[in-house]
Amino acid sequence: MNHAHAPQQELAEHHDVVVVGAGQAGLSLSWYLTRRGVDHVLLERAGVGHEWRDGRWDAFTLVTPNFQCRLPGWSYTGEFGGDDPDGFMPRDEVHRFVTSYAASFGAPVREGVEVTGLRRTADGDDPAGDGAAFELSTSAGAFRAREVVVATGGYHLPVVPAAAGRIPEEVEQLHSSQYRSAGRLPAGAVLVVGSGQSGAQIAEDLHLSGRQVHLALGDAPRCARTYRGRDCIAWLEEMGTYDVTAAEVPGGAAAQEKTNHYMTGRDGGRDIDLRAFAREGMHLYGRLTDVRRGVARFAPTLERSLDHADSVAESIKDAIDRHVAARGIAAPVEERYTPVWRPERETTELDLVAAGITSVVWSVGYRADHRWVEVGVFDGRGRPRQTRGVTATEGLSFLGLPWMHTWGSGRFAGIARDAEFLADRITGRLGAGTGGGSRAAGSAPAGSAPAGPPPARAAAGALTPAR
């Protein structure tokens, strides 16, 4: 008598720790876990550190000096072998910095694996006896893990305002993440919306290429590149600014969401002075409020935005002056900035076609997208509720988020501290000397032939790792 058998459920690959994302944050944690012999795998949707290469324009450079590029067991002037600590790595070198890091310790990265779902295992549902608390659905099959760390950053979905739908059809539109160079845009003038780090630098790139640029400013602050003989970021690091915790920062959550200061590392580093660009022919406007019948409308906030950006830059200099005086540091005295241009009037309307605008670059930011995380660890705005990356759900952590613990948490120089903290916690929870080895759930113990392909090591060869 024949009996019909239900198809066997797909065996899930098991690891003690699954890290989602193989950018600098996920790799930093992997470095610690590897040294401690903890079984883990990194699942990466594209390639190691790919956002540094795929999400930046051709002339992109870091804004932070190279000496701040420090990861666990890997630094710009040390293991990477860089020879320009006060310079600013261009896009492709940053990508190589990250991919070479992965290769340096054989990070167990699975490239091309997209995680589409993360959920807790049902209470008492442990048929494989592997102690897994989480199940992950991926493009490469199912995974089970005792611990999961989400290291995909906080910038996932490009934001484009509703006004984009009312831009004339003949005008090309793109997000700042898609911009590569002036030469790839249609001939003609360009409207850049947003004056944060990307918007200001893209406006500069277009301006230097000879394009007529129209820039709609937001409320982004700026920072001088150098002051009193040193890079301002070097001063701020020495002053402990990047060590200020999220709990200590004045203004709380609102302050944490403010736009980063604009400056540039291009051509060895310099200020971005939008007033100087205006004097050279760039058209500046206040905040974009709407587009109707092909006419862009702006709030009369241009002068206020420029004055605000300058006031922040000068307040940073004030803080440096106090630091220099308090420590008795011998530093040259420098004259303060004097505005080189002021708007004669506030322009509140711009006919895009009449002005010869053929392209609009939206540089108004990103929003996080954690919809694939089917665990209740988010607040009403979709942000992870966490303390130093640790959530209320045991075994689920985050790493690499802006302001996750300190201002430096989203920067190269601040990742090591956060990664080590999580590594300590994970190792303690799993038990000293753990490392049960990867295996398919229900398969033979470690030491037998593994089910499925072994982890692929990253090939040698970045502000966002993607899952």
Side-chain angles (χ1 to χ4, degrees):
M1 184 174 181
N2 293 329
H3 296 277
H5 295 277
Q8 185 177 5
Q9 185 178 5
E10 178 186 7
L11 296 179
E13 183 176 331
H14 173 267
H15 292 272
D16 286 333
V17 183
V18 169
V19 180
V20 185
Q24 59 268 20
L27 292 171
S28 295
L29 177 62
S30 178
W31 186 87
Y32 284 113
L33 296 180
T34 296
R35 287 175 64 87
R36 299 175 187 192
V38 176
D39 164 50
H40 69 286
V41 67
L42 295 89
L43 304 181
E44 168 57 51
R45 180 183 62 186
V48 171
H50 74 99
E51 278 291 338
W52 289 107
R53 178 194 60 206
D54 301 337
R56 304 294 192 274
W57 56 96
D58 294 348
F60 170 89
T61 67
L62 288 178
V63 169
T64 51
N66 294 334
F67 70 80
Q68 274 205 334
C69 293
R70 305 185 297 267
L71 298 172
W74 192 254
S75 69
Y76 172 82
T77 54
E79 295 80 3
F80 183 63
D83 59 2
D84 187 12
D86 295 317
F88 306 88
M89 283 191 281
R91 178 191 64 187
D92 293 345
E93 189 175 5
V94 182
H95 180 251
R96 185 166 62 84
F97 178 82
V98 177
T99 56
S100 298
Y101 178 49
S104 72
F105 64 95
V109 180
R110 302 282 185 89
E111 295 184 316
V113 177
E114 181 176 11
V115 178
T116 56
L118 167 64
R119 65 195 65 84
R120 298 184 69 178
T121 55
D123 290 342
D125 180 20
D126 189 15
D130 56 18
F134 299 95
E135 298 174 338
L136 299 94
S137 301
T138 83
S139 59
F143 285 76
R144 289 168 62 88
R146 297 171 64 186
E147 301 267 341
V148 172
V149 179
V150 179
T152 60
Y155 308 108
H156 305 134
L157 299 180
V159 172
V160 176
R166 296 185 287 276
I167 297 289
E169 291 184 1
E170 61 266 35
V171 177
E172 181 172 321
Q173 300 184 60
L174 64 160
H175 189 266
S176 58
S177 61
Q178 300 169 303
Y179 174 78
R180 294 296 174 265
S181 69
R184 298 196 191 186
L185 298 181
V190 183
L191 170 63
V192 179
V193 181
S195 57
Q197 281 188 1
S198 293
Q201 291 178 80
I202 288 172
E204 179 195 45
D205 188 53
L206 291 163
H207 180 66
L208 294 176
S209 74
R211 289 296 186 103
Q212 178 62 69
V213 179
H214 300 259
L215 175 62
L217 278 67
D219 58 1
R222 74 180 186 91
C223 179
R225 180 74 272 173
T226 61
Y227 181 61
R228 301 195 68 170
R230 295 180 69 189
D231 192 287
C232 283
I233 289 180
W235 282 120
L236 292 172
E237 182 176 53
E238 181 178 290
M239 293 157 58
T241 303
Y242 302 119
D243 296 327
V244 174
T245 67
E248 296 169 335
V249 63
Q256 297 170 29
E257 294 179 0
K258 288 182 178 179
T259 306
N260 285 327
H261 307 68
Y262 60 82
M263 57 174 72
T264 183
R266 186 166 179 164
D267 300 328
R270 56 171 174 260
D271 293 7
I272 290 184
D273 186 350
L274 299 181
R275 296 182 192 270
F277 290 162
R279 191 175 58 179
E280 295 166 0
M282 185 183 293
H283 296 296
L284 305 183
Y285 308 85
R287 184 182 298 277
L288 178 73
T289 58
D290 201 0
V291 178
R292 294 287 180 183
R293 297 188 177 92
V295 176
R297 291 180 167 84
F298 308 95
T301 56
L302 171 59
E303 187 162 22
R304 186 178 72 191
S305 294
L306 291 170
D307 288 346
H308 168 69
D310 289 344
S311 69
V312 173
E314 293 305 297
S315 72
I316 293 172
K317 294 177 182 178
D318 290 341
I320 293 171
D321 284 344
R322 291 192 296 270
H323 175 72
V324 168
R327 298 291 184 89
I329 298 172
V333 177
E334 185 173 323
E335 288 188 11
R336 291 300 189 96
Y337 173 78
T338 301
V340 298
W341 177 89
R342 284 194 177 276
E344 295 180 359
R345 61 185 177 85
E346 296 270 359
T347 301
T348 57
E349 291 189 350
L350 175 66
D351 186 313
L352 301 178
V353 174
I357 292 172
T358 58
S359 305
V360 175
V361 179
W362 299 102
S363 186
V364 292
Y366 298 79
R367 64 180 178 87
D369 180 17
H370 292 113
R371 289 173 293 178
W372 55 278
V373 180
E374 302 168 32
V375 185
V377 294
F378 301 97
D379 63 17
R381 300 182 62 181
R383 298 172 301 191
R385 291 192 300 266
Q386 54 79 31
T387 301
R388 298 203 70 175
V390 179
T391 73
T393 297
E394 288 192 3
L396 177 59
S397 307
F398 287 79
L399 182 61
L401 295 173
W403 279 103
M404 190 183 83
H405 176 51
T406 66
W407 190 2
S409 287
R411 297 167 175 260
F412 276 115
I415 289 172
R417 175 171 49 193
D418 292 344
E420 184 175 21
F421 175 83
L422 283 184
D424 288 344
R425 185 176 178 85
I426 288 169
T427 304
R429 281 174 48 81
L430 293 176
T434 190
S438 65
R439 63 181 186 276
S443 69
S448 302
R457 293 194 173 186
L463 265 177
T464 310
R467 70 179 190 277

